[in-house]
Amino acid sequence: MESSENTTVKTSICKTISCLLPDDLEVKRACQLTEFLLEPTVDAFYAVETLYNQPDQKFDEENLPVPNSLRCELILVLKTQWPFDPEFWDWKTLKRHCLALMGEEASIVSSIDELNDSEVFDMPEEEHKSTEVEPVGLFPTYNQESVVRPVNSIIRPVNTEKKKRRTTAKQMREKGF
């Protein structure tokens, strides 16, 4: 992959290699990361994330469609296109470097990630009510109305804001972001 080659040609080469070796996770990761580094888009980022979050695989050198030496050479050639070498990085470190290369699009990824993280912790009000616990005799009891009303007045605006952010994120996903 000459440095003077067109980005589209390099991307096509990576896609072709991925198709030729669909069961080789290490090669697929290298190809996808190369594609991302050539064109750092949100879609390419999520494709990299998907592959890097898959568990590493053990491969049997005897049953590979290409010799291991060729695989290693191929990965080394792909690495010449990279501004860094993430061989021993975890996903969080690689993600940080990828987001730094994305510019404004990184804010889209960060927003979607924040919304996805907050959705995990959000529970509908019906579920909150079902998790109430009866007071135990060792602890002082309080009038529930005096405690719940002030807390609800704080939580409701926050929940409304979260719903707005979720709606915005869903709209962004539908538009392809």
Side-chain angles (χ1 to χ4, degrees), residues 123-133 152 156:
M123 285 175 37
E125 283 189 38
E126 297 79 35
E127 289 182 39
H128 283 289
K129 290 177 184 173
S130 68
T131 59
E132 290 179 6
V133 178
N152 281 343
R156 281 197 182 105

Side-chain angles (χ1 to χ4, degrees), residues 94-159:
L94 179 58
K95 179 179 180 177
R96 188 174 63 248
H97 281 79
C98 288
L99 290 175
L101 296 171
M102 290 180 68
E104 289 182 20
E105 287 187 329
S107 62
I108 296 169
V109 172
S110 296
S111 297
I112 291 171
D113 286 351
E114 284 176 17
L115 288 171
N116 287 338
D117 290 345
S118 69
E119 286 177 5
V120 170
F121 297 107
D122 288 345
M123 285 175 37
E125 283 189 38
E126 297 79 35
E127 289 182 39
H128 283 289
K129 290 177 184 173
S130 68
T131 59
E132 290 179 6
V133 178
E134 292 295 319
V136 178
L138 298 174
F139 301 101
T141 57
Y142 297 98
N143 177 354
Q144 186 177 7
E145 289 297 313
S146 66
V147 175
V148 173
R149 265 197 196 124
V151 171
N152 281 343
S153 66
I154 295 168
I155 292 174
R156 281 197 182 105
V158 172
N159 284 341

Side-chain angles (χ1 to χ4, degrees), residues 4-20:
S4 62
E5 285 183 18
N6 179 326
T7 300
T8 308
V9 172
K10 291 178 183 179
T11 302
S12 295
I13 291 170
C14 290
K15 289 180 188 294
T16 302
I17 293 167
S18 289
C19 289
L20 292 172

Side-chain angles (χ1 to χ4, degrees), residues 23 34 36 44 56 90 139 155 172 174 176:
D23 298 327
T34 303
F36 170 80
D56 292 337
D90 63 349
F139 301 101
I155 292 174
M172 289 172 66
E174 288 170 2

